[in-house]
Amino acid sequence: MYAMFNDIINALKGLGKVYPNHELVSKILRCLPKSWEPKVTAIKEAKNLTTHPLEDLLGSLMTHELRMKDQDKSDHKKRTISLKASKDESKEESDQDEEMALLTKRIKKILMNKK
């Protein structure tokens, strides 16, 4: 996102339109998705946007993005379901194993859809 934003800003500078730093920071904060709203609010309240450098904002947003990805991975690991398998080969247990496998697939599909 920042690379595309930077390309647009550089093209505008080439055309003679220059934006002050605080407007660039505000534009980036406005374009973030709804899931970033808590971070945007924290940045707006904690920092003076008129003097906050664009590079510091980018670093803060990238750090937040990495934390969100790590949290998603840890949430996914917590939802893992495992079933204990037996080595007995009787026909009745074979049918039960097939039913368990089908049930496991359905549960995984439901969990993936909720994610």
Side-chain angles (χ1 to χ4, degrees):
M1 175 200 69
Y2 180 72
M4 291 189 310
F5 182 77
N6 208 18
D7 288 344
I8 292 169
I9 296 304
N10 288 335
L12 287 171
K13 282 180 186 176
L15 295 172
K17 178 66 175 168
V18 179
Y19 289 98
N21 188 55
H22 71 279
E23 283 188 41
L24 298 177
V25 170
S26 296
K27 287 181 185 297
I28 286 182
L29 291 177
R30 275 195 314 253
C31 77
L32 292 172
K34 194 77 166 167
S35 61
W36 288 67
E37 192 64 33
K39 182 64 176 177
V40 171
T41 303
I43 289 172
K44 285 181 179 179
E45 290 180 358
K47 304 189 190 290
N48 183 2
L49 296 182
T50 59
T51 59
H52 191 65
L54 194 58
E55 291 78 19
D56 289 351
L57 174 67
L58 178 65
S60 178
L61 294 176
M62 289 173 70
T63 302
H64 182 66
E65 182 178 26
L66 291 174
R67 285 183 188 158
M68 286 175 36
K69 285 182 182 178
D70 288 343
Q71 187 177 16
D72 285 345
K73 286 180 184 178
S74 67
D75 287 347
H76 180 66
K77 287 179 183 177
K78 290 179 185 176
R79 294 181 189 164
T80 303
I81 298 173
S82 62
L83 300 173
K84 187 174 182 179
S86 65
K87 294 185 178 184
D88 200 2
E89 294 290 328
S90 71
K91 175 75 172 159
E92 187 175 301
E93 287 185 8
S94 176
D95 290 341
Q96 288 178 350
D97 288 344
E98 289 177 10
E99 289 176 9
M100 288 299 277
L102 182 61
L103 180 62
T104 303
K105 286 181 184 179
R106 288 181 181 170
I107 291 172
K108 284 182 181 180
K109 187 181 271 188
I110 290 169
L111 290 176
M112 293 304 284
N113 286 339
K114 285 187 178 183
K115 183 181 178 186

